[in-house]
Amino acid sequence: RNGVPTKAWTRWNICLDGIFMSQLFISRLAQSIEKGTIEVMDLEGNIVKAEDLWDDLCERMSFVMENMLSESEVLYHGYCVAEKVTNGVCWGRGNGWYAMTLLEAALNCPEKYRETMRGYFRQLMDGVLKWQDDETFLWYNVIDHREEITDNIPESSVSAMLSYCLLKGYRKGLLPDEKYHLAGLRGFNAMVSDRIIEGNLINTMCSSGVTSDINRYAVNGYVDNEAKSIGALLLAIRYYK
């Protein structure tokens, strides 16, 4: 593939997809500890407390919203801690990954963090609504640039993920206005009617890593029947009505 070099991950050492991969696990682990279904010890033999996990998770989620939110009201993909700068690109699927994790935190975190996490979730969903395409009702691969970049098209994974977040957020009472529900329904319906062709779910961007070169975000092209899109669409079905 023609993606960015591996060393890019060492510079952009906070990225939205990495937040999903780590913090969603931490959330589920904390919930399991709270329910008493699991006991965890750290490397020094100390019992891990759910409260400590939630503290770490919510601190990280807050850091992203405070340091990676763009003027477009959606999130940049990467952040360099050493240089204290973002990579300057609002990648769609990255926003989807983070939004799903933030939704999980907003629904399950302790009360002391609940208002903050729910406020961040509504803030991000307000930004997301701004970039839902008026014609396709989907979201672009580079979410805030639309046709301005070569091969930047409405992309299936971000569209499925954000539709899921809007639908579930509305159903769970985090997004009280009907506009969120309508946006989620439009996104989901567009996915089903326009992105499933002869049984194939089309137009999922191949991963290419995090980079400050905006044109690299479509360099590896788009594929059919990719798990990231299929999985998110299946999640959205549960909250569709």
Side-chain angles (χ1 to χ4, degrees), residues 176-191:
D177 196 291
E178 179 64 25
K179 67 181 180 181
Y180 302 103
H181 186 215
L182 180 59
L185 291 174
R186 284 174 170 171
F188 181 87
N189 288 336
M191 285 289 297

Side-chain angles (χ1 to χ4, degrees), residues 7-14 63 67-68 78-88 211-212:
K7 66 181 181 180
W9 294 102
T10 62
R11 182 185 183 198
W12 308 111
N13 42 11
I14 296 177
F63 181 92
N67 292 276
M68 297 172 66
Y79 184 86
C80 176
V81 175
E83 301 173 30
K84 296 183 179 180
V85 295
T86 69
N87 75 317
T211 172
S212 57

Side-chain angles (χ1 to χ4, degrees), residues 3-51:
V4 297
T6 303
K7 66 181 181 180
W9 294 102
T10 62
R11 182 185 183 198
W12 308 111
N13 42 11
I14 296 177
C15 56
L16 298 180
D17 29 347
I19 291 290
F20 173 85
M21 294 171 194
S22 59
Q23 301 312 301
L24 187 62
F25 171 79
I26 294 298
S27 170
R28 299 293 172 83
L29 183 61
Q31 292 174 66
S32 295
I33 292 173
E34 288 171 336
K35 293 175 183 176
T37 58
I38 190 173
E39 186 175 89
V40 180
M41 290 189 298
D42 63 21
L43 295 177
E44 297 178 353
N46 302 308
I47 298 296
V48 175
K49 299 178 181 179
E51 180 181 359

Side-chain angles (χ1 to χ4, degrees), residues 118-137:
R118 293 183 177 189
Y120 282 147
F121 181 69
R122 287 191 294 270
Q123 181 182 3
L124 183 56
M125 292 299 100
D126 283 338
V128 160
L129 291 187
K130 179 179 177 180
W131 295 105
Q132 186 176 28
D133 185 58
D134 293 334
E135 295 182 4
T136 66
F137 300 121

Side-chain angles (χ1 to χ4, degrees), residues 168-204:
K168 183 173 180 178
Y170 178 81
R171 286 277 299 275
K172 294 293 185 178
L174 302 184
L175 303 172
D177 196 291
E178 179 64 25
K179 67 181 180 181
Y180 302 103
H181 186 215
L182 180 59
L185 291 174
R186 284 174 170 171
F188 181 87
N189 288 336
M191 285 289 297
V192 172
S193 63
D194 300 331
R195 289 297 181 267
I196 298 178
I197 308 297
E198 296 181 352
N200 296 303
L201 181 54
I202 65 170
N203 289 350
T204 301

